[in-house]
Structure formats: structure tokens, C-alpha cells
Amino acid sequence: MASAAEQLARNLSFSTFSKAKALQQRIWFTLGALLVYRLGTYIPLPGIDPDAFRATFEQSQQGIIGMFNMFSGGAVERMAIFALNLIPYITASIVVQVVSSASPRLEALKKEGEAGRRKMNQYTRYLAVLFCAIQAYGIAVGLEGSQDVVLNPGWFFRISTVISLVGGTMFLMWLGEQITARGVGNGISLIIFAGIVANLPSTVAQTLELARTGAIPGFAGLGMLVLALVVIGVIVFFERAQRRLLIQYPKRQVGNKMFQGDTSHLPLKLNTSGVIPVIFGSSLLLLPATIASFAAQGNAPGWLTTVTALLGRGQPLYLALFAFFIIFFAFFYTAIVFNPTETADNLKRSGGFIPGIRPGERTAQHIDYVLTRVTVVGAVYLAVVALIPEVMFSQLAVSQFIGGTSLLIMVTVTLDTITQIQSHLVAQQYEGLLKKSRLGGGKRR
């Protein structure tokens, strides 16, 4: 039997949206914030020659730099102030979450509610500034090593580059938080989503041009588009898939009346972690590879050139590390967002139980057993969707393409944003029904 919220969701219409003024303001705020982000990707760093850098970028966009450019919405290609995007912040979030799971002090801080969350966010920002400064300095040194890219090499250029790139990332962190609080959807994910979508037209145009000129076979170009559509369908299916555990509630007596026991379901998503494992895995690969790739353009040592080659897109080491990070963070993030023991305790307090399973610890063990096996399927699905297009497209030597990572981010963020919009509309309609019922009750009195 459908819940009241599900029935309201089915009855949503355009008239409901037109009456939701608060939701419209949130959507306009989100679009305005993303427009500001896109404008920032066109503001170049001071002290570089854009034409010389563009020539250098074209020589290395086939590898890891091309992937970094995809996440930054083309800011790397133009060496803009948003070139680092939110990668340092995401990397810092990974480190803080991993450390907090092993540190009793930080684990206790996470349980202190809003004050603890603000403290953890503060630690994450400090660490993000450190990572950002290290990456920015590496990029500055790498740019100086590239021929004719930097107009006046020296410490002034390095300091100005570090300040510009760190300031750009800090601004994006603030902008993402504003979108989350005052807009629609997760601000960090939407900024990455906007960067990928902005490059979509040029990516499709380049693929069609390569097929037209014969650089890639015509059937390969068609196959790439078909594969993209198939991957989108697979992503939608798996993101909506759930494993439902039957929850039963006993009969209860109120006064002289006996009420029949109710049943419901505990939904366990096949992919509880969402797109987080893919973003985290990409971020960890981009952090060392970006510095190595830029520095390798100058007078770099041999080992740095070797690292850059091994971490190139489509290389076995890159694919193996990417798959490992995706699977690891799928389990790690699922353990963070879903606590079987807490869920079992909540069921016990409300009188609910899983048929055939004793309430309490046995219920927690059963939920953990099912969740672990569901997460295995979800982790494998994420790894396959992210890696198969990477392997195929890298073999075709296509420098810009709609890979599995970008498709995962686009589809997942779109589904999450639509869900949030529907939640706002349901809340709006529910408030309207409550208001009508109160007015009706007042008239009857």
C-alpha cells in the first residue's frame, strides 16, 4: 500500500510547481551560482601566455590532464583560476573521513551533532588549503618548465599562481556550500556536473569530426554513441534498484479495540554510496598525477616521467588503482552513511522486527549480511561502468569523450537533484493540504 508521500508525489503537476515560490527561488539561485562558476573558468592565471599554454595542453590532453580538464569544465585548458576545481577539497574530505574512522577523538567529534560537524568541516577546509597549495606550487613549477608559457618566471609568478589557484578553490568551496544551503541539490556535485555538461557539445562535435575525417572508423563513432546510451540505461536501472527487507509490526490494543499488525519494508539501495566512490577515486588519482604530468614537461627526473606514463589514462596501473579505489570507497562510504546496529535499535524501539530474525543484535547482523552482499553488486557495477568506456575509448585514441565516470556523475547528480525537487514539491503540497484541513475545521466550528 502506497504511503501518503508517494501518493502526493504521483499527484504533482505543473500547477504545483508554479505555486512553489520558495522552490523557484532555490532553482534560480542554483542556476545563478553555476553561471558564476562558469564565468570563473574563463579568467586566466596572471603571467602566462595563453597561446603557448594551449599548444602545450594539446600535446598532453590525451592523458590524465584531459580528465582533469573534464572535471574542471575546461578551466585547465585555459589555465583559469578555477583550474584545480574542487579536487583538493574532495581529497581532503577523503583523508578526514578515513582518519576519523580510525581516531576515537574524531569519531566522538562526529557524534556531537551540528557543532561537531562544523568542527570536522573546519578541519577539512584547512587540509584542502594545504593540498591546494601543494598542487598549485607544482603546477607553477611545471608551467615554468614549459617553453615560453610563463612570461616572467620566478618566485613572484609562483606565489601569484598559488594565491590565485588556492583562492579559486576556496571560492568554489564556499559557492558549493551556498548551493547546498540555499539552492537545490548537493553543491559540490552540481559544480562538477556543470563542468562536465559544459564540455558535452564540444566532445560530441569532436567525436563526429573524427568519424567524418576517418581518424576513427565510422562504426566506432556510432558504437561510442550507442554505448553511451546503454551505459545511461544501466546507470538508471542500478541507481533505482533496491533490496527490500520485510518489516513486521505486532498487533496492538488501544482501549477496547485491537488493531491489526502492519507491515512495511526497509529499502537497501544497491548503490548506497552513489557517485561518491567514483569522484573520490578520480580525485586520488588526479592529485599525484597532475603534479607529475605538469612537472614532467620540464627538466624532470626519470622516475617522475615513469610515474606519469604509468598513471596515464587507459594504462593497466591506472585502471587497477581506479577499480580498487571505487570498490574500497563503495564499502567505506556505505559504512559511514548506513549503520545496521542503529537501524536495528530503531526497529526494536518502534516494535518492528524482521520475520524469523530475533530483534536487536541478530537483526543488526542480518541487515549487515544483506547490505554487504548488496554493496558487492553495487561496487562491481560502479567499477564496470567507470572502466569499460575508459578502456574502449583510450584504445581509439579519443582525447575528449563521454566516459563512464562523466556519465555516472551526470546521471546520478541529475537523479538526485530531481528527487530533491520532488521532495520540495511534496512538502509544498502537503503543507497546502494541512492548511486547507485547518481552515475546514475552523469553519465547521
Side-chain angles (χ1 to χ4, degrees):
M1 193 171 180
S3 63
E6 291 173 340
Q7 293 176 356
L8 284 173
R10 294 194 188 101
N11 296 329
L12 295 178
S13 61
F14 180 77
S15 61
T16 306
F17 177 78
S18 63
K19 296 176 183 177
K21 301 300 182 182
L23 176 59
Q24 294 177 24
Q25 292 177 0
R26 284 179 171 269
I27 292 176
W28 282 114
F29 179 85
T30 302
L31 294 176
L34 294 179
L35 178 60
V36 171
Y37 158 66
R38 288 303 302 157
L39 292 175
T41 61
Y42 287 88
I43 302 176
L45 287 176
I48 65 171
D49 184 346
D51 295 330
F53 177 78
R54 190 176 298 109
T56 303
F57 175 81
E58 290 176 354
Q59 297 174 4
S60 58
Q61 65 173 330
Q62 182 69 28
I64 200 74
I65 300 301
M67 187 175 183
F68 209 149
N69 189 55
M70 175 196 72
F71 277 109
S72 65
V76 173
E77 181 180 2
R78 295 178 285 271
M79 194 40 65
I81 59 175
F82 290 164
L84 288 179
N85 204 265
L86 289 162
I87 302 302
Y89 176 73
I90 296 173
T91 307
S93 300
I94 299 170
V95 174
V96 170
Q97 289 185 4
V98 172
V99 173
S100 64
S101 63
S103 171
R105 179 174 176 272
L106 292 178
E107 186 68 25
L109 189 63
K110 288 169 59 178
K111 298 178 181 179
E112 292 182 2
E114 184 65 22
R117 187 184 66 84
R118 283 199 295 265
K119 197 71 174 179
M120 294 291 291
N121 288 339
Q122 189 176 4
Y123 292 155
T124 304
R125 293 189 190 99
Y126 291 155
L127 192 59
V129 172
L130 176 62
F131 286 159
C132 192
I134 294 174
Q135 279 189 278
Y137 182 78
I139 289 175
V141 173
L143 289 174
E144 288 184 339
S146 302
Q147 189 175 5
D148 299 329
V149 172
V150 180
L151 301 178
N152 295 302
W155 278 104
F156 181 79
F157 169 76
R158 296 179 186 180
I159 294 174
S160 65
T161 299
V162 170
I163 292 175
S164 299
L165 291 178
V166 171
T169 298
M170 294 301 103
F171 177 78
L172 288 183
M173 288 168 49
W174 175 82
L175 192 65
E177 293 174 354
Q178 295 302 308
I179 293 175
T180 303
R182 303 171 58 186
V184 177
N186 183 284
I188 305 297
S189 299
L190 279 174
I191 288 176
I192 297 176
F193 167 84
I196 296 174
V197 172
N199 283 338
L200 193 60
S202 62
T203 300
V204 175
Q206 185 195 49
T207 304
L208 296 176
E209 181 64 19
L210 290 174
R212 187 187 67 82
T213 58
I216 59 175
F219 70 89
L222 180 61
M224 291 167 64
L225 296 177
V226 172
L227 178 62
L229 294 176
V230 171
V231 170
I232 290 174
V234 170
I235 293 172
V236 173
F237 173 79
F238 276 91
E239 292 299 324
R240 295 298 188 187
Q242 294 179 346
R243 169 71 164 88
R244 293 190 172 188
L245 296 179
L246 179 64
I247 305 297
Q248 193 167 347
Y249 295 90
K251 297 179 180 179
R252 56 192 177 92
Q253 184 174 358
V254 179
N256 296 326
K257 292 185 178 181
M258 178 69 70
F259 291 88
Q260 185 68 26
D262 196 8
T263 60
S264 64
H265 291 88
L266 175 65
L268 302 177
K269 289 189 64 177
L270 199 64
N271 179 27
T272 306
S273 56
V275 76
I276 296 297
V278 178
I279 297 179
F280 279 12
S282 302
S283 302
L284 285 183
L285 285 175
L286 287 173
L287 177 62
T290 303
I291 300 174
S293 192
F294 271 109
Q297 296 171 8
N299 299 322
W303 66 267
L304 193 55
T305 306
T306 303
V307 170
T308 305
L310 291 176
L311 290 178
R313 277 187 104 171
Q315 297 301 315
L317 180 60
Y318 170 84
L319 297 175
L321 288 175
F322 197 15
F324 170 77
F325 286 143
I326 289 175
I327 294 174
F328 171 77
F329 283 115
F331 281 93
F332 178 76
Y333 198 75
T334 298
I336 290 177
V337 300
F338 192 96
N339 190 333
T341 302
E342 184 179 343
T343 303
D345 291 341
N346 292 335
L347 286 175
K348 187 176 181 179
R349 282 194 293 267
S350 62
F353 63 93
I354 299 176
I357 306 297
R358 184 177 301 172
E361 184 179 352
R362 294 295 300 273
T363 298
Q365 292 175 355
H366 179 73
I367 295 175
D368 183 65
Y369 175 85
V370 176
L371 182 64
T372 300
R373 279 144 185 79
V374 167
T375 305
V376 169
V377 179
V380 172
Y381 137 73
L382 286 176
V384 170
V385 169
L387 293 182
I388 286 183
E390 293 276 349
V391 175
M392 294 185 62
F393 295 157
S394 62
Q395 294 299 318
L396 294 173
V398 181
S399 59
Q400 296 182 12
F401 53 84
I402 310 171
T405 302
S406 55
L407 286 176
L408 270 169
I409 294 174
M410 286 193 297
V411 176
T412 307
V413 174
T414 300
L415 292 175
D416 290 343
T417 305
I418 291 174
T419 301
Q420 288 204 25
I421 291 176
Q422 288 178 340
S423 299
H424 282 289
L425 290 175
V426 168
Q428 174 80 16
Q429 191 171 13
Y430 187 68
E431 290 175 1
L433 292 175
L434 284 178
K435 189 175 181 180
K436 287 181 179 179
S437 63
R438 289 169 182 170
L439 291 175
K443 289 179 180 179
R444 283 193 297 271
R445 287 194 297 270

